[in-house]
């Protein structure tokens, strides 16, 4: 398996633009997690899905952020409109719910909002 | 959610053992102890996890205190490639989400 795949790896955009980050989890995994990492706040859990259903989105910072998982092999995290304070590395991770809880992380998307 | 406390940073000489401590005094009986590490410019990766008994794998060993209020990750022979931020995380058996703390930044000195 190729592991968790994220795209794009780097994104530079201007304030006010819409940004869409994409994630393909490991085949067979039924849990998916979106994290954000900054120097100031560390690694934060934004939202996670079990069997494509959002379970906990309490970490989503505000209504500008939204996440979807239309099927077991694809998820998106959208920011609209983007702001400079959204600049961070966004990680997607997947795991098998009901297993030992090991999460496999993707390489991350480095987002810069100018 | 139960919290963990780790030293901000530690240093080790190459090829020496490293003991990374973690305090989790509010741990519940159903919390698993997970350790992940994050190499520079990469996503976190799994190291080891346990519930009550000590655990060993090819990467490390996990020593869990009898009262489970603390644990220690042991790298038996540190290499330069082990330089990373190490996170100690508690996961309730009923859920599968992680809440990362600040971790310990390990520097390995050649």
């Amino acid at each position: 398996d190729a592991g968790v795949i994220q795209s794009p790896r780097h994104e530079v955009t201007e304030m006010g633009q819409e940004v869409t980050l994409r994630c393909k989890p490991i085949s067979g995994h039924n849990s998916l997690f979106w994290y954000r990492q900054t120097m100031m706040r560390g690694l934060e859990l934004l939202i996670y899905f079990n069997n494509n259903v959002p379970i906990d989105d309490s970490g989503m910072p505000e209504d500008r952020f939204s996440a979807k998982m239309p099927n077991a092999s694809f998820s998106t995290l959208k920011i609209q409109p983007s702001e400079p304070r959204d600049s961070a590395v966004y990680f997607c991770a997947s795991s098998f719910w009901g297993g030992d809880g090991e999460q496999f992380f993707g390489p991350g998307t480095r987002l810069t909002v100018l | 959610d139960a919290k963990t406390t780790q030293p901000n940073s530690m240093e080790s000489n190459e090829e020496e053992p490293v003991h990374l401590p973690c305090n989790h005094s509010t741990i519940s009986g159903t919390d698993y102890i997970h350790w992940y590490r994050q190499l520079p410019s990469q996503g976190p990766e799994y190291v080891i996890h346990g519930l009550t008994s000590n655990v060993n794998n090819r990467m490390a060993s996990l020593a869990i205190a009898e009262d489970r209020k603390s644990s220690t990750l042991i790298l038996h022979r540190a290499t330069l490639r082990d330089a990373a931020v190490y996170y100690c995380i508690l996961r309730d058996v009923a859920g599968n989400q992680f809440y990362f703390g600040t971790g310990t930044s390990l520097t390995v000195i050649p």
Side-chain angles (χ1 to χ4, degrees):
Chain A
D1 200 314
V4 175
I5 299 172
Q6 292 187 247
S7 64
R9 294 293 309 277
H10 302 272
E11 176 81 26
V12 180
T13 190
E14 294 188 346
M15 182 174 63
Q17 296 298 306
E18 178 180 295
V19 175
T20 299
L21 311 181
R22 297 173 175 79
C23 176
K24 176 178 170 55
I26 291 174
S27 177
H29 282 183
N30 53 8
S31 290
L32 184 138
F33 308 82
W34 283 101
Y35 293 87
R36 177 174 68 174
Q37 187 171 37
T38 62
M39 289 293 293
M40 290 295 294
R41 302 175 67 89
L43 202 58
E44 303 173 279
L45 176 65
L46 300 178
I47 185 172
Y48 79 95
F49 297 82
N50 283 343
N51 294 320
N52 312 337
V53 176
I55 301 301
D56 184 355
D57 65 353
S58 60
M60 296 285 263
E62 28 189 297
D63 291 344
R64 297 184 297 106
F65 286 70
S66 62
K68 294 182 179 179
M69 192 163 186
N71 57 61
S73 59
F74 183 66
S75 177
T76 59
L77 178 67
K78 184 178 294 186
I79 308 172
Q80 167 63 20
S82 59
E83 297 183 3
R85 58 192 169 122
D86 301 331
S87 297
V89 180
Y90 291 81
F91 289 103
C92 175
S94 71
S95 72
F96 180 69
W97 182 34
D100 61 10
E102 180 180 351
Q103 292 187 16
F104 295 80
F105 283 75
T109 295
R110 182 173 295 276
L111 173 65
T112 303
V113 183
L114 303 175
Chain B
D1 302 297
K3 303 300 182 188
T4 62
T5 304
Q6 300 176 252
N8 287 333
S9 61
M10 292 184 64
E11 287 187 352
S12 173
N13 293 319
E14 193 176 10
E15 298 189 4
E16 294 290 320
V18 183
H19 290 233
L20 298 166
C22 180
N23 287 321
H24 28 79
S25 58
T26 60
I27 191 170
S28 73
T30 55
D31 284 334
Y32 279 82
I33 302 162
H34 286 251
W35 283 81
Y36 277 68
R37 72 179 186 181
Q38 187 172 20
L39 302 171
S41 301
Q42 295 188 26
E45 64 177 359
Y46 171 82
V47 178
I48 200 166
H49 78 284
L51 184 61
T52 56
S53 302
N54 294 343
V55 184
N56 299 295
N57 66 22
R58 63 177 179 81
M59 290 182 68
S61 296
L62 176 60
I64 301 173
E66 193 169 341
D67 63 5
R68 301 207 328 124
K69 293 184 183 299
S70 66
S71 62
T72 302
L73 178 70
I74 303 166
L75 307 180
H76 297 287
R77 287 179 71 247
T79 70
L80 297 179
R81 291 184 300 172
D82 291 322
V85 177
Y86 287 78
Y87 296 97
C88 170
I89 306 158
L90 300 182
R91 177 184 71 90
D92 188 279
V93 69
N96 57 350
Q97 68 272 34
F98 291 160
Y99 296 97
F100 284 80
T102 55
T104 297
S105 179
L106 175 65
T107 300
V108 179
I109 302 169

